[in-house]
């Protein structure tokens, strides 16, 4: 079988390349098994195909299975072409796509679209080598602007760092490389040190603002500071502008597309934005997403 590669991942190509459920199944089998079906329950290759049902029978553990078992698409009642279209739409939406918009585009209910997005976000979680080199570190606050609220709904300290109505998100970005970000309970020394140690190789050069909690990192990393409070945003190569650009993208997505994201699910949305940003130059991002979707 010839491997089908989709690089531009637009919905026209999805329709042309995968015109029906069967063609999607066959492609997933190639992505997951490379044409040699393996039982997801016992990992045996001794399986007999049942072409009419698009399933296999494992002769080792006597179990029936399909390529979607144990994947993002497990037990779905939707046509897989709708899933492939959803993948394309999510990946092409730089600032995200709302569940209601996705529902209209692929003809499902809003709740189904939301479920599909949450499943795809699970596949977008990335782990890998520690970031190294020049690393920008920063934190942002996700939540509504206090000045836009009615007087009876305004909160004390709702603007700037420490607003009790906002959720902290901390991040690190490797110059010319990837970004990692996560929801945090605060911006204390302990929280920042733990997150950065988990994601940045010791000895790297950190670029931060003057927030005092970053000073605890001086023994583990090189540390350069840009003084925002004094109106300084760039000092040679010292700045956090690249990461702040990512924060802008994240916030525009939350405000413009989702309007509101609860702290409970915020990390999943952050994972989606990080995945798209980290693979923005990857021409095979559609294939990568399918690979991760069948290997969660």
């Amino acid at each position: 079988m010839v491997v089908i590669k989709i690089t531009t991942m637009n919905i026209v190509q999805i329709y042309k390349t995968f015109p029906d459920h069967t063609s999607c199944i066959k492609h997933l089998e190639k992505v997951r098994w490379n044409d040699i079906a393996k039982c997801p329950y016992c990992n045996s290759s001794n399986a007999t195909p049942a072409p009419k049902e698009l399933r296999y029978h494992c002769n080792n553990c006597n179990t029936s299975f399909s390529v979607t078992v144990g994947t993002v698409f497990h037990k779905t009642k939707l046509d897989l072409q709708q899933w492939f279209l959803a993948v394309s739409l999510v990946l092409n939406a730089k600032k995200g796509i709302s569940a209601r918009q996705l529902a209209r585009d692929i003809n499902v209910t809003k709740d189904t679209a939301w479920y599909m997005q949450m499943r795809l976000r699970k596949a977008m979680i990335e782990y890998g080598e520690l970031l190294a080199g020049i690393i920008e570190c920063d934190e942002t606050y996700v939540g509504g602007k206090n000045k836009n609220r009615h007087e009876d709904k305004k909160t004390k300290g709702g603007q700037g760092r420490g607003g009790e109505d906002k959720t902290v998100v901390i991040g690190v970005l490797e110059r010319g490389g990837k970004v990692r970000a996560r929801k945090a309970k605060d911006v204390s020394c302990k929280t920042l040190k733990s997150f950065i140690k988990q994601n940045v190789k010791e000895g790297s050069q950190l670029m931060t603002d003057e927030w005092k909690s970053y000073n605890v990192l001086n023994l583990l990393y090189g540390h350069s500071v840009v003084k925002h409070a004094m109106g300084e945003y760039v000092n040679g190569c010292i700045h956090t502008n690249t990461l702040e650009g990512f924060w802008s993208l994240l916030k525009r997505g939350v405000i413009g597309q989702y309007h509101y994201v609860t702290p409970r699910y915020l990390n999943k949305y952050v994972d989606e934005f990080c995945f798209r940003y980290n693979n923005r130059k990857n021409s095979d991002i559609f294939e990568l997403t399918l690979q991760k979707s069948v290997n969660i």
Side-chain angles (χ1 to χ4, degrees), residues 37-292:
K38 282 190 176 183
C39 175
Y41 301 106
C42 69
N43 206 35
S44 171
S45 299
N46 184 15
T48 303
K52 290 185 178 180
E53 292 81 21
L54 299 176
R55 298 179 67 83
Y56 293 83
H57 179 81
C58 179
N59 300 312
N60 186 53
C61 65
N62 198 32
T63 305
S64 174
F65 65 92
S66 75
V67 69
T68 61
V69 172
T71 72
V72 160
F73 317 107
H74 188 39
K75 292 186 178 180
T76 182
K77 295 181 181 180
L78 293 176
D79 192 292
L80 274 184
Q81 189 192 56
Q82 288 173 289
W83 275 98
F84 280 28
L85 288 169
V87 171
S88 175
L89 289 166
V90 168
L91 293 178
N92 277 311
K94 186 175 182 179
K95 299 174 187 175
I97 181 170
S98 70
R100 290 188 182 276
Q101 181 64 54
L102 182 61
R104 290 190 290 269
D105 289 342
I106 64 173
N107 194 30
V108 297
T109 67
K110 180 261 296 181
D111 291 341
T112 298
W114 184 85
Y115 170 80
M116 294 171 75
Q117 287 178 298
M118 296 304 283
R119 294 291 293 175
L120 291 175
R121 287 172 184 133
K122 185 176 181 180
M124 291 178 176
I125 299 173
E126 290 188 307
Y127 303 100
E129 295 181 355
L130 298 179
L131 305 183
I134 297 178
I135 308 295
E136 297 180 23
C137 309
D138 197 23
E139 71 286 337
T140 192
Y141 294 80
V142 177
K145 292 186 177 180
N146 210 32
K147 65 180 181 180
N148 294 335
R149 295 188 173 96
H150 292 292
E151 286 299 326
D152 61 334
K153 294 183 179 179
K154 287 187 177 181
T155 59
K156 185 178 180 180
Q159 294 294 119
R161 180 178 275 120
E164 61 184 33
D165 60 331
K166 297 182 181 180
T167 304
V168 182
V169 179
I170 53 179
V172 288
L173 182 145
E174 180 183 295
R175 290 268 177 90
K178 294 188 174 184
V179 64
R180 305 260 176 87
R182 215 72 188 146
K183 179 184 72 174
K185 61 180 181 179
D186 54 39
V187 288
S188 65
C189 296
K190 182 178 179 181
T191 300
L192 291 174
K193 182 178 180 180
S194 175
F195 174 77
I196 293 173
K197 285 189 67 176
Q198 289 173 13
N199 292 282
V200 180
K201 185 177 181 181
E202 288 189 19
S204 299
Q205 182 68 34
L206 300 185
M207 306 290 178
T208 74
D209 59 24
E210 66 271 41
W211 178 237
K212 59 184 178 181
S213 293
Y214 288 116
N215 294 336
V216 73
L217 301 167
N218 291 344
L219 296 177
L220 301 175
Y221 306 94
H223 184 199
S224 300
V225 177
V226 60
K227 299 177 180 179
H228 289 169
M230 298 177 62
E232 180 184 69
Y233 293 93
V234 179
N235 184 356
C237 67
I238 305 171
H239 64 79
T240 59
N241 293 347
T242 319
L243 184 51
E244 286 170 5
F246 174 75
W247 292 146
S248 177
L249 197 64
L250 172 64
K251 288 185 176 182
R252 287 175 184 174
V254 171
I255 295 170
Q257 291 294 329
Y258 306 117
H259 304 308
Y260 175 71
V261 176
T262 65
R264 176 183 178 184
Y265 295 115
L266 181 56
N267 271 336
K268 296 182 182 298
Y269 288 81
V270 171
D271 288 335
E272 175 190 344
F273 277 83
C274 286
F275 181 79
R276 262 198 308 266
Y277 183 90
N278 292 340
N279 292 282
R280 63 196 181 280
K281 297 180 181 179
N282 183 359
S283 61
D284 291 330
I285 186 174
F286 182 86
E287 288 294 299
L288 173 63
T289 306
L290 289 186
Q291 290 171 5
K292 291 172 70 64

